Amino acid sequence: MDTTLQDPLVGQVLDGRYRVDARIAVGGMATVYRAVDTRLDRVLALKVMHPGLAADGTFVDRFIREAKSVARLAHPNVVQVFDQGTDGSYVYLAMEYVAGCTLRDVLRDRGALQPRAALDILEPVLAALGAAHRAGFVHRDMKPENVLIGDDGRVKVADFGLVRSVDTVTNTSGAVLGTVSYLAPEQIEQPGAADARVDVYACGVVLYEMLTGEKPHDGESPAIVLYKHLHEDVPPPSAIVPGLPFELDELVASATARAPDLRPHDAVALLAQAREARAALGADQLDMVPPQALTTQHSNAEDRTSVIPRSLTVPRPLPVNEPEGEPGLNRTSRFETPPPPPPRRRRSGPPRGPLAIVVALLLILGVGAGVWYINSGQFTKVPALIGKTEAQAEDRLEAAGLEVGTVKREYSDTVKRGRVINSDPTVGTRIRSNDSVTLTISKGPETVQLGDLKGLRLDKARERLKNDGLQAGMVTREFSDDVIKGMVISTDPEPGTTLRSGAAVALVVSKGSPVDVPEVTGESLEDAKADLEEAGLKVKVATEQVNSEYDKGLVAAQTPEQGSEAAEGDTVTLTISKGPEMVEVPDVVGDKVDDAKAELEAAGFEVDEDRGILGLFGDTVKSQSVEGGQTAPKGSTITIEIR
C-alpha cells in the first residue's frame, strides 16, 4: 500500500506556493516531500519539520537561522536551499530536488564497493564539506543517508539540519545530536562542542563502510556502539576485505583517530589525503572487487548507479594449497593427478631398527622446521604506526621483531608534533624479522615569521607573502595622510608574528589623503566638472536624467554627496536635471481651507496660507496664486488667500 496516500500533507499547497506531490523520506527531525513550486514551475524537495519539534520555539529559531546560513553555501556538491517559511504549524525548507538515490541505497543494494567507486563518492563529499568548513560551518550528521547520488552521477551532500557555526556551542541539554554509528568520540563526551573534525571522523566511518559493506562498530544497543567509539579504534578495512591496499587502511585510520588532534583538521585536508591515496594505487587495486560485492551484485547492469563502475571483473583466484610465505614452496594443484610412485624395492642389509626410526623422525622434524622458517618464521609485517609517538612506534616495532632504522623529521599541517607521519616500509608490508624500519616524525606545522609589509604596493606585498609561504587574506582600504595611495598601511597580525605556513594575512591598504567632496548640485555640467577635477576627483555623468527643482541641464544630484570624504582619484557621479516636473494645479477657490490644502498637497505642491486681517477667522479659499487648470513645477508652493 502506498503510505503517502495517508500523509495529510500530500496534495496540499503550502504557503500558497508549494504543491506537495509525494513523500520521499522520513527522518528524525523532518519529513522530505517531492513538491512543485507553482510560481516558478519547477520540481523541488520540501523538508517539513515534525510537528513535535515545530512546537519548540528555540528549536525552530535555530532551524531557521542555520538554514539561512547554509543557503549561502554555493557549491556544486551541496544541496541548495531555495526558501524557508512557515504555514500554520508547518515549518519547511524548499531545497534542490536530486533525482536518484542515496549512498545508503547503494550500499544496501551492492554491499562493499570497489575502491575506485568509494573514492569517486568520497571526494565530492569532502569537497562539499570543505566548502562548509572554510565558511565556518560543521555538518555534524554525515552518514550514507545524507549523500545523494543523482541519476546523472553527481554526488551531493544534503541535510545540514544539525549544522552549526564552528565558533558557537549548541545547547542540547546533554543530548547527543547525530547518528550513533558515525559520532566522533568528542561528540559523545561533550555534546554540542565539536568542530570540523567530527565531520572528518564521520567521513572515515562512511569510507570504511563503503570499502567493507559493514559499520566498524556494532552492538545490541546504541550505548554499546557509543562505548566502542570511545574506547576502540576503527579496525583497518583490510581486516574485513583481504587485499585492500594499505593506503586505504591509512586513510581510514587517519580520519577516524579517536583523538581529534590526530585527524586532518578539516575536510579539505582529508580530501588532499584521499587524492594522495588514489594517486598511489594502480588500476588493479582501484578496481578490485570485494567478496561482499560479488554476493549482492545485480544481474541487470542498468540498475547500477552511474558513479559505480559498470564492469566488474572477478579477481584471479589464489593458487590452491600454496602456504603463506615465499611463493612457489610446496605448490600442489588439487586439479592434477600426482604421478604413480616408483615400484618398491626390497632393501638389502639388516632390517630397520629403533635408530633408523629416530633418524627418520629427526629428518622429518628438521624439514618441517625449515619449511616453517622459510614460510613464516623469518617474516613479519610492519605494524600500524601512523599517529603514534616515537616511543610508541619503537615499542610496536620491537614487539613485532623489528628495529627502528633512520628517523627523519618533516613539517606536517595534519600530524601533531612528535607523532609518526609515515614509515618505510609502510604499514602492512611483509618484511624479514630483525629488519629496520625508517620513521618520519612530524615537526608540527611549518612556521613563518611575518615580515614588515608597510609601504609596499599591494601586488608586491602579495608576492612577498607568497614567497614566504603565506597568503594574502582580506584587503581593506583606509584613508591615510602618511602612506601613499595603493601602499600597505598595516597587517593583521602585526609584523614579527610567528604563523603556520599557508596562513592568511589581512592587509590594510591606503586610499591616500581624504578629499572633501564639493557641492555641485544646481551648477552647470561644465562648472561642476571643473570644481570636482580641481579637488582631485574624476567625474562620471549618469546616463539617465531626472526631474528636479533645478532647470534643465543643471546638476540635479551627485554621488557621493557634498561633505563626504573621498580618496584622490575617486569618481563622483553626476545626474543631470530634466527640469521640474510640471503638474496641473487643482482649482480650490471656494473650498474649505482644510480640503483645499489636502487636495493641493496630494497633487504634489507645498501650501502657504494668506489670511490677512480679514481672514483671521475665515475658513474658505478666496483665491490661489496659480489658477486652477494651469501647470506649475511639482513641489513648488501655491499660496491660498482665505476669507
Side-chain angles (χ1 to χ4, degrees), residues 454-455 479-485 487 489 510 512-514:
K454 182 176 179 180
F479 292 114
S480 173
D481 292 325
D482 303 322
V483 180
I484 300 172
K485 182 179 180 180
M487 303 294 187
I489 299 174
S510 173
S513 299

Side-chain angles (χ1 to χ4, degrees), residues 382-576:
V382 178
L385 304 172
I386 306 300
K388 304 299 180 185
T389 64
E390 187 173 351
Q392 290 171 336
E394 186 174 350
D395 291 343
R396 286 200 169 197
L397 289 172
E398 183 178 349
L402 300 169
E403 298 178 355
V404 176
T406 304
V407 176
K408 299 187 290 186
R409 301 186 187 276
E410 296 179 358
Y411 292 110
S412 173
D413 289 332
T414 57
V415 180
K416 192 175 180 180
R417 180 183 177 88
R419 306 272 180 166
V420 176
I421 299 175
N422 55 46
S423 62
D424 185 18
T426 51
V427 175
T429 302
R430 190 164 173 272
I431 62 174
R432 294 182 180 275
S433 298
N434 300 319
D435 271 3
S436 62
V437 175
T438 298
L439 298 178
T440 303
I441 307 296
S442 172
K443 295 197 294 184
E446 186 174 4
T447 57
V448 179
Q449 190 174 53
L450 177 61
D452 188 358
L453 304 178
K454 182 176 179 180
L456 291 180
R457 284 204 327 264
L458 178 58
D459 58 339
K460 293 296 183 183
R462 283 176 167 155
E463 184 178 350
R464 173 80 63 83
L465 289 171
K466 182 178 180 181
N467 292 338
D468 290 344
L470 301 170
Q471 58 179 325
M474 181 180 295
V475 177
T476 56
R477 299 179 185 272
E478 295 180 0
F479 292 114
S480 173
D481 292 325
D482 303 322
V483 180
I484 300 172
K485 182 179 180 180
M487 303 294 187
V488 174
I489 299 174
S490 62
T491 59
D492 185 15
E494 296 179 351
T497 304
T498 299
L499 302 172
R500 291 177 56 172
S501 177
V505 177
L507 301 171
V508 179
V509 177
S510 173
K511 295 200 292 184
S513 299
V515 175
D516 290 330
V517 178
E519 171 70 62
V520 295
T521 54
E523 295 183 4
S524 67
L525 180 58
E526 293 74 15
D527 291 344
K529 282 184 175 180
D531 290 345
L532 292 170
E533 289 172 354
E534 184 178 351
L537 301 169
K538 296 179 181 178
V539 178
K540 176 183 177 182
V541 179
T543 55
E544 293 186 5
Q545 297 183 352
V546 297
N547 292 111
S548 76
E549 61 182 297
Y550 301 108
D551 292 339
K552 182 176 181 180
L554 301 182
V555 176
Q558 63 182 81
T559 305
E561 296 178 350
Q562 179 267 339
S564 302
E565 286 189 336
E568 184 177 353
D570 280 358
T571 299
V572 176
T573 301
L574 302 179
T575 303
I576 306 303

Side-chain angles (χ1 to χ4, degrees), residues 132-291:
H133 291 168
R134 294 298 166 93
F137 299 109
V138 185
H139 189 288
R140 295 200 301 165
D141 195 25
M142 274 309 306
K143 56 186 177 182
E145 287 81 355
N146 289 336
V147 178
L148 306 185
I149 303 174
D151 291 337
D152 57 359
R154 290 180 300 167
V155 176
K156 289 179 176 282
V157 176
D159 199 356
F160 279 76
L162 297 184
V163 73
R164 73 165 178 85
S165 172
V166 296
D167 57 0
T168 61
V169 176
T170 302
N171 181 7
T172 60
S173 302
V176 177
L177 294 179
T179 306
V180 292
S181 295
Y182 306 92
L183 288 177
E186 62 268 30
Q187 284 178 285
I188 303 167
E189 293 178 320
Q190 298 177 322
D195 59 19
R197 291 172 293 186
V198 303
D199 289 346
V200 169
Y201 184 92
C203 286
V205 175
V206 171
L207 175 60
Y208 178 95
E209 193 171 355
M210 287 194 289
L211 293 172
T212 66
E214 302 178 9
K215 297 183 178 70
H217 299 313
D218 56 10
E220 296 179 355
S221 69
I224 294 175
V225 177
L226 294 176
Y227 180 87
K228 290 183 177 181
H229 279 293
L230 286 171
H231 301 287
E232 296 181 11
D233 290 334
V234 170
S238 62
I240 302 295
V241 182
L244 276 178
F246 70 89
E247 287 88 352
L248 297 178
D249 284 349
E250 287 187 328
L251 186 60
V252 171
S254 175
T256 60
R258 280 185 286 158
D261 289 345
L262 299 183
R263 294 179 219 142
H265 56 85
D266 64 9
V268 176
L270 182 58
L271 176 59
Q273 290 189 10
R275 288 172 174 167
E276 288 178 4
R278 180 194 285 267
L281 303 181
D284 291 343
Q285 292 173 305
L286 287 169
D287 294 328
M288 70 164 287
V289 182

Side-chain angles (χ1 to χ4, degrees), residues 94-109:
M95 306 180 298
E96 175 185 6
Y97 177 73
V98 180
C101 63
T102 68
L103 176 57
R104 172 63 65 212
D105 298 326
V106 174
L107 293 175
R108 188 182 296 115
D109 183 55

Side-chain angles (χ1 to χ4, degrees), residues 609-633:
E609 298 179 13
D610 180 12
R611 290 183 177 270
I613 297 176
L614 297 178
L616 289 177
F617 305 101
D619 62 352
T620 304
V621 176
K622 178 181 178 182
S623 64
Q624 58 190 84
S625 59
V626 180
E627 294 182 3
Q630 295 184 354
T631 59

